[in-house]
Amino acid sequence: MYALLVGINLLGTLLRMANLAAEVRAGYAFDGASLDLGALVVDGECDATAQVRIPLGTLNRHGLVAGATGTGKTSGMSAPGAANEKISARATEIGQDWQPAARVW
């Protein structure tokens, strides 16, 4: 009985993740130049099919940098585009071909 309940719970989780991924894909589906931010991550698992992007034409608006403690929010903002082991690993995991290219504006 326990195995059946675990299986049902796992199936429900997979269905919710599939629905969430479809919503993220639909929400970020647009044409034109964009800033690629990454991909959907649920419970530490990346879904490279659900890419998160922002149209370049909207970047003159307010922004929010959010993330868990230790994810590089502060250091990432002080040296945007600089090489970082965690960033390189995540880019590979979500299917992005990312190369560091720090720029001073």
Side-chain angles (χ1 to χ4, degrees), residues 13-66:
T13 299
L14 292 174
L15 289 173
R16 282 191 301 280
M17 286 178 61
N19 290 338
L20 180 58
E23 288 180 28
V24 168
R25 280 191 296 276
Y28 290 97
F30 52 84
D31 294 324
S34 66
L35 174 62
D36 294 328
L37 297 176
L40 175 66
V41 178
V42 177
D43 292 332
E45 296 294 322
C46 291
D47 184 341
T49 68
Q51 294 290 312
V52 177
R53 309 164 35 223
I54 298 177
L56 291 181
T58 65
L59 291 178
N60 62 341
R61 295 169 174 86
H62 297 285
L64 169 69
V65 178

Side-chain angles (χ1 to χ4, degrees), residues 72-85:
K73 297 177 298 297
T74 302
S75 60
M77 295 307 292
S78 64
N84 177 305
E85 183 179 309

Side-chain angles (χ1 to χ4, degrees), residues 1-21:
M1 183 66 169
Y2 177 74
L4 177 61
L5 291 176
V6 169
I8 291 171
N9 188 31
L10 178 61
L11 180 59
T13 299
L14 292 174
L15 289 173
R16 282 191 301 280
M17 286 178 61
N19 290 338
L20 180 58

